Amino acid sequence: PNALENELLKEKIRSANIVGIRSRTHITKDVLNEAGKLLAIGCFSIGTNQVDGHAARLMGIPVFNAPFSNTRSVAELVIAEAILLMRNIPVKNAAAHKGKWLKSAANCFEVRDKNLGIVGYGHIGSQVSILAEALGMNVYYYDIAKKLSLGKAVACSSLEELLSLSQIVTLHVPETPLTRNMISDKEIALMRWGSCLVNASRGSVVNIQALTSALESGRLLGAALDVFPDEPASNNDPFVSELQKYDNVLLSPHVGGSTVEAQHNIGTEVAEKLVRYSDTGSTIGATNFVQISLQPNNNAQRFLHIHKNEPGILREVNYVFTSRGINIAGEYLQTDSEIGYVIVDTESCLGSEIIEELKAIRGTIRVRMLF
């Protein structure tokens, strides 16, 4: 029911071949050192920041996640929050709960014909773009990588350009050194007076002090945040934020992807990737590993060899089979700067003794045989 603490996690992982985790279980290099049998890690989430992916790769352990599964859920929440903010519903809702009747059109606007600025035009950002355009909004986006515009969306040449154009700004970027405090005093000063900000990406992206200043001054009509720099470890822990005193701010407990549909999709997507890797050696969808996609080895015996990317290792792998007069029916190799992953299909029926010979090859990290 809860994320395992470090020592208990080490104890449990020692006997595991495959591990599935959520966002609060942290698999560090220290933990991985205890995982002698571990073949793969499945992050039943969008992000994989909770795993030391580099350490896992060097140990021959691919990490899988579900980058698409909650895309629609997050996009729908963002659009809903944008509409609520533009209609000033958070303020009116808070007043109604206190017995006040704020029936007024002041600071209430349709979203049709308004400019929506999307920072980060990936899976979620592009879905927000489609939904917003269907509502009649003018969509602008900024991304550090060149992306194909969907519909009539217009790419901005800089973040500054997007901020100056948009009446609503929504953030869909990963947590990196580049995005930390991406929206701070300087950026908010570029936003239109009376605009709105929605953050459903990562809590570190928005400087909370800068945001509170903009709310105090009235520069921002309102804001919606689903993520925060400091979040409670569980539902039993208190949530504290400087933003709680503002009626024009929507606060939600990191539930952008928390729908029944998204959770079902995440479970299915990650499980399928883990099964494919276990049964065929396919690493498509791994976030830290070279990518190989293969069909099941129905008519051949398959060997998976993960090794350091050094000259001559592939020759030695092949020699293990050719020295026995075994025909290699298929061979698939992918490398990066640090590791190589070769899959060999052979016309053979070999026993486990060949595994020891393959393990003995210099630079070998991990070997498996699929019957």
Side-chain angles (χ1 to χ4, degrees), residues 16-62:
N17 298 115
I18 294 174
V19 169
I21 63 171
R22 296 282 280 173
S23 57
R24 294 205 178 278
T25 298
H26 294 276
I27 299 185
T28 62
K29 183 177 180 180
D30 190 38
V31 171
L32 287 168
N33 286 333
E34 303 291 328
K37 298 180 179 180
L38 192 60
L39 301 177
I41 298 169
C43 295
F44 287 80
S45 58
I46 303 303
T48 58
N49 291 348
Q50 66 272 40
V51 179
D52 188 332
H54 182 255
R57 181 169 80 251
L58 295 182
M59 295 178 184
I61 303 169

Side-chain angles (χ1 to χ4, degrees), residues 183-248:
I183 304 299
S184 195
D185 292 305
K186 175 186 173 184
E187 289 73 28
I188 291 177
L190 295 172
M191 295 174 66
R192 289 188 174 193
W193 194 271
S195 58
C196 299
L197 178 67
V198 179
N199 184 20
S201 58
R202 291 292 182 264
S204 62
V205 173
V206 175
N207 183 296
I208 300 300
Q209 291 294 334
L211 177 58
T212 57
S213 296
L215 293 167
E216 291 284 354
S217 68
R219 172 171 286 279
L220 293 185
L221 177 65
L225 288 87
D226 188 50
V227 289
F228 305 88
D230 297 301
E231 298 182 1
S234 72
N235 288 346
N236 297 322
D237 295 320
F239 168 64
V240 179
S241 172
E242 299 171 58
L243 298 169
Q244 288 168 317
K245 63 182 179 181
Y246 298 102
D247 289 343
N248 58 339

Side-chain angles (χ1 to χ4, degrees), residues 5-236:
E5 295 298 330
N6 194 54
E7 292 306 314
L8 183 55
L9 180 58
K10 287 180 180 180
E11 177 187 330
K12 296 292 186 182
I13 208 170
R14 288 185 186 115
S15 59
N17 298 115
I18 294 174
V19 169
I21 63 171
R22 296 282 280 173
S23 57
R24 294 205 178 278
T25 298
H26 294 276
I27 299 185
T28 62
K29 183 177 180 180
D30 190 38
V31 171
L32 287 168
N33 286 333
E34 303 291 328
K37 298 180 179 180
L38 192 60
L39 301 177
I41 298 169
C43 295
F44 287 80
S45 58
I46 303 303
T48 58
N49 291 348
Q50 66 272 40
V51 179
D52 188 332
H54 182 255
R57 181 169 80 251
L58 295 182
M59 295 178 184
I61 303 169
V63 178
F64 299 95
N65 68 335
F68 312 109
S69 293
N70 73 0
T71 298
R72 179 70 183 200
S73 297
V74 178
E76 286 187 2
L77 180 64
V78 167
I79 291 296
E81 290 180 332
I83 293 172
L84 290 172
L85 289 172
M86 290 295 285
R87 292 293 298 272
N88 209 21
I89 294 298
V91 171
K92 296 178 186 299
N93 174 68
H97 276 276
K98 298 170 185 174
K100 297 180 181 179
W101 193 249
L102 298 184
K103 183 175 172 60
S104 168
N107 288 326
C108 297
F109 308 94
E110 292 183 353
V111 295
R112 181 177 53 177
D113 287 330
K114 301 303 185 295
N115 294 346
L116 174 70
I118 300 172
V119 183
Y121 203 64
H123 306 310
I124 296 173
S126 57
Q127 277 289 305
V128 171
S129 174
I130 292 169
L131 295 176
E133 190 171 316
L135 289 169
M137 302 185 76
N138 307 311
V139 178
Y140 297 88
Y141 71 89
Y142 172 70
D143 199 296
I144 59 173
K146 189 172 180 61
K147 299 291 180 68
L148 174 67
S149 300
L150 300 180
K152 295 181 180 179
V154 177
C156 292
S157 60
S158 66
L159 176 61
E160 290 75 17
E161 179 187 4
L162 178 138
L163 295 174
S164 65
L165 286 171
S166 305
Q167 281 132 325
I168 305 166
V169 174
T170 180
L171 309 172
H172 304 285
V173 296
E175 185 174 42
T176 69
L178 188 64
T179 63
R180 186 171 186 81
N181 288 321
M182 171 185 273
I183 304 299
S184 195
D185 292 305
K186 175 186 173 184
E187 289 73 28
I188 291 177
L190 295 172
M191 295 174 66
R192 289 188 174 193
W193 194 271
S195 58
C196 299
L197 178 67
V198 179
N199 184 20
S201 58
R202 291 292 182 264
S204 62
V205 173
V206 175
N207 183 296
I208 300 300
Q209 291 294 334
L211 177 58
T212 57
S213 296
L215 293 167
E216 291 284 354
S217 68
R219 172 171 286 279
L220 293 185
L221 177 65
L225 288 87
D226 188 50
V227 289
F228 305 88
D230 297 301
E231 298 182 1
S234 72
N235 288 346
N236 297 322

